[in-house]
């Protein structure tokens, strides 16, 4: 099925470092979302982006909706051990009631205390 | 309920057997989605329900997969004659129609292992 190109695939960082990950697509997306998934749980929404160029923060997290509507990035500042998990980007192709999402393959983040 | 509930949480089945996976959405959520997550992969869309109807079944991988939703609430995903490649985590999400994405809520999934 269709997927987004998400990178990097994994990251191993020291506590306190900043993190950056991104997603790209050949298709134009109507909405970009960033999720975090902990083991044995479903994904939990971190940030939703609705407009091209939009820059949104949620605590130490910042995400942007690319101007071309084909990419997005997520930054985490001053990482802490509880940031460990898998981060996914997801996009909605079309507006409307069908909120089918297309997903990246995830970025696995490990934080060394 | 307070969240999306899926059952069972884990299921081990023999190849060739049929399985049923259940999703109880958040009360009042009209939209319901099934996704499949294979090991090390992102989520793959399977089917979308609006009320009891399924306007988008485009992600169902084969005719062995079917889903229904009754009473605008509980949904069941059925996999017939299971194959080893069906092994994955099956996630359900529910959402109100409209509103922000913070209402689009996932369950914890059913981990299916076909042996």
């Amino acid at each position: 099925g269709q997927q987004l190109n998400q990178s990097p695939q994994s990251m191993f960082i020291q506590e306190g470092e900043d993190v950056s990950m991104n997603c790209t697509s050949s298709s134009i997306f109507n909405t970009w979302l960033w999720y975090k998934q902990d083991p044995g749980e479903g994904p939990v929404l971190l940030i939703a982006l609705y407009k091209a160029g939009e820059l949104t923060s949620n605590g130490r997290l910042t995400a942007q909706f690319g101007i071309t509507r084909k990419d997005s990035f997520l930054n985490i500042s001053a990482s802490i051990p509880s940031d460990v998990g898998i981060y996914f980007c997801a996009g909605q192709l079309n507006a409307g009631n069908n909120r089918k999402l297309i997903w990246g393959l995830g970025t696995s983040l490990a934080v060394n205390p | 309920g307070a969240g999306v509930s899926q059952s069972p949480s884990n299921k081990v089945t023999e190849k060739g057997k049929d399985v049923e996976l259940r999703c109880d959405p958040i009360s009042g959520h009209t939209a319901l989605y099934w996704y499949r997550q294979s090991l090390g992969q992102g989520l793959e869309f399977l089917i979308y329900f609006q009320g009891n109807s399924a306007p988008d079944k485009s992600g169902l991988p084969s005719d062995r997969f079917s889903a229904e939703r009754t009473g605008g609430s509980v949904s069941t995903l059925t996999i017939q004659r299971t194959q080893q490649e069906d092994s994955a985590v099956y996630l359900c999400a529910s959402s109100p129609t409209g509103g922000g994405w913070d209402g689009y809520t996932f369950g914890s999934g059913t981990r299916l292992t076909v042996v």
Side-chain angles (χ1 to χ4, degrees), chain B residues 17-40:
Chain B
K17 295 282 181 68
D18 297 352
V19 295
E20 285 190 353
L21 313 179
R22 176 185 170 108
C23 174
D24 278 281
I26 291 174
S27 178
H29 279 192
T30 53
L32 188 147
Y33 303 79
W34 283 98
Y35 290 87
R36 177 169 71 174
Q37 185 175 27
S38 301
L39 186 64

Side-chain angles (χ1 to χ4, degrees), chain A residues 37 41-42 98-101 104, chain B residues 33 35 37 45 56 98-99 104:
Chain A
Q37 185 175 29
E41 300 294 328
N98 184 349
R99 297 193 184 186
K100 175 173 71 175
L101 292 175
Chain B
Y33 303 79
Y35 290 87
Q37 185 175 27
F45 169 80
D56 189 345
Y104 192 107

Side-chain angles (χ1 to χ4, degrees), chain B residues 61-115:
Chain B
S62 75
D63 59 8
R64 295 186 296 106
F65 287 72
S66 63
E68 64 175 14
R69 189 180 185 195
T70 55
S73 181
V74 172
S75 177
T76 302
L77 177 69
T78 301
I79 309 173
Q80 296 177 310
R81 304 180 303 281
T82 51
Q83 304 294 312
Q84 287 185 330
E85 61 263 29
D86 299 335
S87 296
V89 175
Y90 289 82
L91 288 159
C92 173
S94 72
S95 167
T97 300
W101 280 91
D102 54 352
Y104 192 107
T105 306
F106 283 88
S108 296
T110 294
R111 180 175 296 279
L112 176 66
T113 303
V114 182
V115 297

Side-chain angles (χ1 to χ4, degrees), chain A residues 1-7 9 22-29 32 70-71 88-93 100-106, chain B residues 35-46:
Chain A
Q2 187 175 10
Q3 287 178 325
L4 302 176
N5 301 311
Q6 185 172 349
S7 64
Q9 184 177 356
N22 69 86
C23 273
T24 61
S25 171
S26 58
S27 302
I28 291 175
F29 280 84
W32 281 92
K70 293 182 178 181
D71 64 302
F88 289 96
C89 61
Q92 182 191 17
L93 277 171
K100 175 173 71 175
L101 292 175
I102 310 300
W103 294 75
L105 296 183
Chain B
Y35 290 87
R36 177 169 71 174
Q37 185 175 27
S38 301
L39 186 64
Q41 301 292 311
L43 280 68
E44 174 190 6
F45 169 80
L46 298 178

Side-chain angles (χ1 to χ4, degrees), chain A residues 52-81:
Chain A
E54 179 180 354
L55 182 70
T56 297
S57 292
N58 178 8
R60 294 178 295 105
L61 278 61
T62 301
Q64 185 159 31
F65 192 147
I67 292 291
T68 63
R69 296 173 64 192
K70 293 182 178 181
D71 64 302
S72 177
F73 71 74
L74 173 71
N75 288 341
I76 305 172
S77 63
S79 59
I80 59 178

